[in-house]
Amino acid sequence: MKYKTLLILLIFSLILSGCGDKEPLRHTEPIRKRQELLMGTLVEISIADEDKDATEIDLAIDKAFKEIKRIEDLLSPYNKDSEISRINRLGEREAITVSDETFSLIKRSIEFSRISEGAFDITVAPLLELWGFSIDPSAGSPVIPSEEEVKTKLSLVGWDRIITHDRSRSIAFSRAGMKIDLAAIAKGYAVDRAIEALRGEGITRAIVDAGGDIYCLGAKSETEPWVIGIKDPRRPNEILNTLDIIDRAIVTSGDYERYFIVEGKRYSHIIDPRTGYPVQNKVMSVTILAPGCLEADALATAVFVMGEEKGAEFIDQFDSVEVIIKTLDE
Ligand code: AMP
Ligand code: MG
């Protein structure tokens, strides 16, 4: 445990001790929750506004889920008509114009690649397919590919091989066979958009949790923050510690989310774009706290690839971002 991790724990213990002399009031109104399977995960929306009736809250939840569904349709590589699928069918230097939304998400992804020196890279898609981590159910079960196969797919990877043109909002690849996968950023984006939809309906106290990509809107009540647990990466049904969160995103990338084990070795779904192999750096999970969920999502994946030391140093450059890294050594 180091750097900002320590700082966060200190700050949280200060906040907690500051509240110590007051008996915290318990939240009396029931929190309304709903879950839906979207973007390949269980998405849960919880609302704690006390001045809203059930009908108003349900309407807000409907709008937020609708927004997530819209983003899923736009970005899913498994929907043949999505913009991402159309991009993934492009031949060498063949360009297509996409929506503002897709274009700006791709541009933001490229920016995260640039600042993370390629640790975060949406062009890892051909490697995800090779390793069987593409979430397409028809893609079959995970396998260990040969070194030769990894090398071949690696030649199709590289964020700097995406050609963007701002004026025409067009995307092209400099090599045929390249593909993109926005899974490492899409859920965070969808959570941010769902929170905006809730805000638009006058909601002030809510959690949107898309399978570990979480944003806490406001606090649970006037006297209580939202409390978010960080999972034990080796016993994901158990919580290792909890954090008090108000108006902040908290996102975890973990090697326990999608993985397979062969001869005692764990191969998880986060690929090092520089080697073509699933990350093997002792990191089990990375939790990022940040003002927005998209940013937290991208940074969690990037730090997972960078490893404990480089990742913690990398996060130090951001003023309002904190990181908690769990490694095999702990
Ligand atoms: P997350 O859970 O946000 O860390 O995203 C992990 C998902 O992003 C994986 O399941 C892959 O679909 C994709 N992915 C894997 N490795 C990378 C990488 N190095 N950069 C960007 N996306 C990746
Ligand atoms: Mg991510």
Side-chain angles (χ1 to χ4, degrees):
M1 196 201 297
K2 53 175 85 168
Y3 314 114
K4 295 207 169 175
T5 314
L6 204 59
L7 192 66
I8 304 172
L9 294 181
L10 265 174
I11 292 169
F12 282 113
S13 49
L14 282 178
I15 293 171
L16 288 179
S17 61
C19 305
D21 47 351
K22 261 196 276 161
E23 183 64 27
L25 290 175
R26 287 288 118 205
H27 193 272
T28 46
E29 291 294 309
I31 293 175
R32 279 184 90 78
K33 288 185 189 195
R34 203 191 307 160
Q35 298 182 328
E36 279 186 31
L37 269 173
L38 286 167
M39 304 187 83
T41 193
L42 193 63
V43 182
E44 182 174 87
I45 299 182
S46 315
I47 310 245
D49 283 72
E50 294 179 28
D51 60 343
K52 296 256 178 300
D53 64 31
T55 317
E56 288 170 315
I57 291 181
D58 287 347
L59 180 74
I61 295 181
D62 283 347
K63 293 217 165 155
F65 274 125
K66 220 168 142 191
E67 181 64 355
I68 299 174
K69 178 84 183 78
R70 186 187 67 77
I71 294 165
E72 178 180 41
D73 289 344
L74 183 73
L75 302 179
S76 166
Y78 312 114
N79 164 2
K80 277 201 284 57
D81 301 323
S82 75
E83 287 198 323
I84 298 302
S85 294
R86 286 172 45 219
I87 292 170
N88 285 347
R89 288 194 290 268
L90 290 175
E92 187 178 321
R93 295 190 184 270
E94 199 186 338
I96 55 164
T97 294
V98 294
S99 62
D100 272 340
E101 205 172 7
T102 303
F103 190 73
S104 88
L105 271 173
I106 293 173
K107 290 278 282 196
R108 292 200 70 180
S109 299
I110 293 173
E111 185 54 21
F112 282 112
S113 297
R114 199 184 55 76
I115 62 173
S116 69
E117 294 173 357
F120 179 93
D121 191 338
I122 56 173
T123 68
V124 293
L127 285 163
L128 292 166
E129 281 179 5
L130 180 67
W131 283 94
F133 287 123
S134 109
I135 31 177
D136 183 352
S138 64
S141 52
V143 280
I144 299 179
S146 70
E147 269 179 43
E148 207 45 50
E149 286 174 304
V150 172
K151 232 171 100 186
T152 308
K153 295 293 181 191
L154 205 50
S155 70
L156 299 173
V157 174
W159 57 275
D160 50 353
R161 295 194 182 119
I162 307 175
I163 306 161
T164 62
H165 192 268
D166 289 353
R167 236 178 315 143
S168 59
R169 278 195 338 260
S170 71
I171 305 286
F173 295 135
S174 71
R175 288 199 181 167
M178 285 180 67
K179 286 182 180 183
I180 55 172
D181 180 318
L182 295 183
I185 198 172
K187 281 193 285 166
Y189 174 63
V191 169
D192 282 341
R193 296 295 314 194
I195 288 288
E196 275 318 301
L198 294 177
R199 278 203 178 107
E201 295 302 303
I203 298 298
T204 59
R205 304 185 188 285
I207 295 186
V208 177
D209 178 352
D213 282 42
I214 300 170
Y215 189 90
C216 299
L217 176 64
K220 189 176 173 190
S221 72
E222 260 174 44
T223 52
E224 296 163 287
W226 291 107
V227 178
I228 303 296
I230 298 185
K231 288 178 180 171
D232 178 341
R234 289 296 168 267
R235 274 171 244 107
N237 292 326
E238 288 175 30
I239 298 297
L240 273 185
N241 43 301
T242 59
L243 297 175
D244 294 353
I245 313 278
I246 298 174
D247 275 328
R248 219 154 151 67
I250 171 163
V251 173
T252 300
S253 279
D255 69 355
Y256 53 89
E257 288 169 46
R258 293 171 65 79
Y259 66 94
F260 62 97
I261 292 177
V262 174
E263 291 170 7
K265 193 165 164 181
R266 182 184 288 247
Y267 297 85
S268 92
H269 64 139
I270 302 180
I271 306 272
D272 188 330
R274 293 149 309 186
T275 64
Y277 284 79
V279 170
Q280 301 281 345
N281 60 10
K282 295 191 174 175
V283 173
M284 296 190 289
S285 74
V286 174
T287 301
I288 296 275
L289 291 104
C293 208
L294 175 146
E295 159 188 35
D297 194 359
L299 294 178
T301 310
V303 170
F304 193 99
V305 176
M306 292 170 133
E308 188 181 19
E309 239 162 82
K310 276 215 160 147
E313 253 172 54
F314 169 65
I315 291 303
D316 265 341
Q317 70 182 291
F318 303 98
D319 281 342
S320 41
V321 179
E322 281 93 24
V323 65
I324 299 165
I325 303 172
K326 308 250 180 239
T327 59
L328 275 168
D329 289 336
E330 280 173 9

